[in-house]
């Protein structure tokens, strides 16, 4: 007898429906033959995916919890089909000391309704060495905030840490941004919102990626590029065997959307011109999706081109957005578990996660490929009250999220 049996489940690589038995939070049995459980759920042929894993979220906890906290952020994640998220270190205080990292672990343990990991910020070699004992997902470097000298120190120090941990990069060039701002900023601060994309230009990202490659060749770093937005950066990453993430907004929007949404769509790196941006067609078997879920208050998003906050909340929209692309025949369904689960689990060394296999953790996402609707921010769990995807129609959605063998979301209702 199993704790839970999912009946009439469909797996992407199986023609026939299967039964999935769960015991003690693990996948205990997968079979085409009927077997019994204490609790049984008939999935009526809906697809079961490995639980979605997001390598890049900003839950703003501690210090900025009016924007989001680990409870609301993890509920939003569960509603979007995610069973594991990795939180970024730019909170208050920054998660770049042993104490701050340990404190955030406690906050997340107390509040999160799903599994999580934490990225650490970069700091002195001694402090990062102490943080390593707490198993950070990576060390995150915001290249746009550091001088060339400071960057070299970061790359050198991280490469000298035990086992050469992943160095995750926000790849934009500080000097290029500063120079573009000087050239483009109107003295009366009356620039159109689209100018933000020209100040933080494609060149800024591309040159930053080139700089990271040069530094890593010198120091042997283990690089991962966050929110990659240009085709040229993608070519550089692939040719240098560097892993990378795509966001839904960079894949689906170009910078002309500034004319419709204004500063609501401001994010770093910004949306790109249509001829140089990454597209759905650039998603491959090696890609991964990182939402860069970045909630703010509505007031912070509407302070004008130069003063508005940067970031877009995406946890509750991303899966449906890409399933819609599947239904439009723009994306192969078989890529969905790879880009949302398998590749992330492998890259960040998440044991027993990312795959539907006996003995693996029972982290599962059930999707209905035919479920249609319209995104409505009023129905979201995130504290963010805005989304450029609000009002868009979708086809395909998560209808159940199972984390550690427990149902945490069913038909958009969260069980926390």
């Amino acid at each position: 007898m199993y704790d839970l049996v999912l009946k009439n489940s469909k797996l992407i690589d199986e023609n026939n429906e299967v039964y999935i038995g769960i015991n003690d939070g693990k996948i205990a049995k997968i079979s085409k033959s009927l077997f019994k459980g204490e609790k049984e759920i008939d999935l009526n042929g809906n697809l079961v995916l490995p639980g979605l894993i997001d390598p890049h979220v900003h839950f703003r906890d501690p210090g900025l919890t009016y924007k989001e906290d680990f409870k609301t952020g993890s509920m939003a994640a569960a509603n979007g089909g995610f069973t594991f998220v990795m939180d970024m270190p730019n909170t208050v205080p920054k998660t770049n000391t042993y104490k701050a990292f340990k404190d955030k672990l406690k906050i997340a343990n107390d509040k999160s309704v799903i599994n999580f990991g934490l990225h650490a910020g970069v700091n002195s070699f001694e402090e990062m060495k102490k943080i390593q004992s707490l198993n950070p997902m990576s060390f995150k470097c915001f290249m746009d905030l550091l001088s060339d000298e400071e960057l070299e120190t970061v790359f050198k120090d991280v490469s000298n840490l035990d086992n050469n941990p992943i160095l995750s990069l926000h790849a934009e060039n500080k000097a290029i941004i500063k120079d573009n701002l000087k050239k483009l900023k109107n003295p009366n601060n009356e620039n159109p919102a689209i100018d933000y994309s020209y100040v933080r230009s494609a060149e800024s990202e591309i040159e930053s990626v080139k700089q990271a490659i040069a530094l890593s060749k010198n120091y042997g770093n283990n690089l991962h590029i966050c929110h990659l937005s240009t085709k040229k950066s993608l070519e550089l990453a692939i040719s240098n065997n560097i892993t990378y993430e795509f966001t839904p907004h960079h894949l689906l929007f170009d910078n002309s959307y500034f004319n419709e949404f204004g500063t609501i769509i401001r994010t770093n790196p910004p949306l790109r011109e249509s001829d140089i941006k990454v597209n759905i067609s650039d998603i491959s078997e090696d890609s991964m999706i990182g939402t860069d879920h970045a909630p703010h208050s509505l007031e912070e998003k509407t302070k004008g081109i130069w003063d508005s906050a940067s970031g877009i909340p995406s946890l509750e929209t991303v899966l449906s957005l890409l399933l819609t692309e599947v239904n439009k025949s723009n994306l192969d369904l078989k890529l969905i578990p790879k880009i949302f689960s398998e590749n992330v689990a492998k890259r960040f060394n998440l044991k027993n996660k990312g795959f539907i296999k006996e003995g693996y953790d029972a982290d599962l996402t059930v999707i209905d490929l035919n479920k249609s609707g319209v995104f409505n921010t009023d129905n979201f769990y995130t504290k963010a009250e805005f989304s450029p995807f609000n009002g868009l129609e979708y086809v395909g959605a998560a209808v159940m999220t199972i984390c550690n063998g427990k149902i945490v979301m069913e038909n958009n209702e969260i069980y926390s």
Side-chain angles (χ1 to χ4, degrees):
M1 187 70 72
Y2 296 89
D3 297 339
L4 174 64
V5 172
L6 304 178
K7 300 162 58 178
N8 303 315
S9 311
K10 195 84 185 290
L11 303 180
I12 281 179
D13 55 356
E14 288 278 351
N15 292 324
N16 299 313
E17 293 175 0
V18 299
Y19 293 79
I20 301 173
I22 295 169
N23 260 345
D24 299 322
K26 301 284 185 182
I27 300 169
K29 186 174 182 179
I30 303 171
S31 174
K32 292 173 186 174
S33 303
L34 172 67
F35 54 85
K36 294 290 185 181
E38 287 185 30
K39 180 175 182 178
E40 297 180 2
I41 299 174
D42 192 340
L43 296 184
N44 298 306
N46 275 332
L47 276 167
V48 183
L49 302 175
L52 308 191
I53 304 169
D54 192 339
H56 192 144
V57 302
H58 297 269
F59 281 175
R60 312 300 190 193
D61 201 347
L64 301 165
T65 53
Y66 67 92
K67 302 174 191 265
E68 193 81 285
D69 61 49
F70 240 99
K71 183 68 178 288
T72 58
S74 63
M75 290 169 76
N79 193 37
F82 289 89
T83 60
F84 195 109
V85 292
M86 303 181 203
D87 189 55
M88 285 294 168
N90 52 335
T91 45
V92 180
K94 294 176 183 176
T95 321
N96 66 352
T97 65
Y98 178 86
K99 182 184 184 308
F101 197 98
K102 198 168 185 181
D103 288 347
K104 191 193 273 193
L105 280 175
K106 185 180 187 314
I107 290 167
N109 270 314
D110 289 345
K111 294 184 180 181
S112 188
V113 303
I114 60 169
N115 297 314
F116 64 88
L118 304 179
H119 295 284
V122 294
N123 203 328
S124 67
F125 180 78
E126 292 74 21
E127 199 66 56
M128 290 190 292
K129 196 168 177 61
K130 285 193 284 185
I131 292 172
Q132 268 204 294
S133 67
L134 300 173
N135 299 314
M137 295 289 97
S138 79
F139 286 91
K140 173 70 179 290
C141 176
F142 293 85
M143 296 180 71
D144 57 328
L145 302 179
L146 300 177
S147 67
D148 288 349
E149 217 171 58
E150 290 168 327
L151 278 173
E152 182 144 15
T153 299
V154 167
F155 276 66
K156 180 183 178 183
D157 284 352
V158 172
S159 72
N160 284 326
L161 291 169
D162 293 342
N163 302 315
N164 192 15
I166 297 171
L167 179 59
S168 293
L169 302 175
H170 179 123
E172 291 186 281
N173 183 281
K174 183 179 181 180
I176 291 173
I177 293 168
K178 187 177 178 182
D179 188 49
N180 286 342
L181 184 62
K182 196 183 295 182
K183 290 175 186 171
L184 287 168
K185 188 175 182 180
N186 185 302
N188 300 318
N189 286 342
E190 294 174 353
N191 294 68
I194 197 171
D195 280 359
Y196 191 76
S197 67
Y198 302 129
V199 167
R200 302 183 80 101
S201 62
E203 180 197 11
S204 163
E205 178 181 276
I206 293 161
E207 289 306 310
S208 190
V209 171
K210 286 179 179 176
Q211 184 181 21
I213 290 166
L215 286 168
S216 69
K217 282 183 177 174
N218 196 19
Y219 294 110
N221 298 93
N222 181 9
L223 298 184
H224 176 77
I225 302 173
C226 301
H227 40 54
L228 187 148
S229 67
T230 69
K231 285 187 185 292
K232 181 60 180 175
S233 297
L234 178 60
E235 289 170 13
L236 288 167
I238 292 170
S239 61
N240 287 277
N241 200 29
I242 299 169
T243 58
Y244 57 89
E245 306 160 15
F246 290 138
T247 73
H249 43 275
H250 288 122
L251 290 169
L252 294 167
F253 289 160
D254 61 41
N255 72 340
S256 69
Y257 281 76
F258 273 104
N259 301 323
E260 179 179 350
F261 292 104
T263 55
I264 287 291
I265 209 160
R266 178 179 138 158
T267 187
N268 298 333
L271 303 179
R272 301 300 185 195
E273 298 94 313
S274 59
D275 60 334
I276 61 171
K277 69 182 282 295
V278 291
N279 295 294
I280 292 294
S281 58
D282 291 309
I283 296 174
S284 74
E285 291 205 347
D286 298 319
S287 305
M288 62 185 86
I289 299 296
T291 62
D292 193 10
H293 175 82
H296 298 281
S297 70
L298 198 52
E299 181 188 358
E300 289 170 323
K301 289 296 293 180
T302 53
K303 289 186 171 181
I305 177 174
W306 307 121
D307 297 320
S308 294
S310 294
I312 295 170
S314 292
L315 280 166
E316 294 171 271
T317 52
V318 61
L319 178 61
S320 287
L321 287 166
L322 293 196
L323 291 178
T324 300
E325 295 300 313
V326 169
N327 279 304
K328 290 178 179 178
S329 300
N330 294 333
L331 184 65
D332 188 342
L333 177 62
K334 289 182 178 179
L335 288 176
I336 294 293
K338 289 185 180 297
I339 64 178
F340 277 107
S341 307
E342 295 177 16
N343 293 344
V344 190
K346 285 190 286 189
R347 181 64 179 107
F348 291 92
N349 198 30
L350 302 180
K351 300 295 185 188
N352 298 315
K353 296 189 183 296
F355 297 83
I356 300 177
K357 295 180 179 179
E358 292 180 1
Y360 271 58
D361 294 344
D363 295 341
L364 303 167
T365 304
V366 182
I367 61 170
D368 181 346
L369 266 176
N370 299 312
K371 182 178 180 180
S372 61
V374 176
F375 293 123
N376 183 348
T377 52
D378 291 342
N379 300 327
F380 290 170
Y381 287 89
T382 177
K383 288 185 182 181
E385 297 175 339
F386 67 95
S387 170
F389 304 113
N390 190 47
L392 284 184
E393 296 181 356
Y394 64 84
V395 183
V399 292
M400 184 179 292
T401 307
I402 298 171
C403 186
N404 304 323
K406 307 292 184 187
I407 298 168
V408 292
M409 185 279 285
E410 188 172 10
N411 295 321
N412 305 115
E413 185 178 351
I414 302 294
Y415 307 120
S416 57

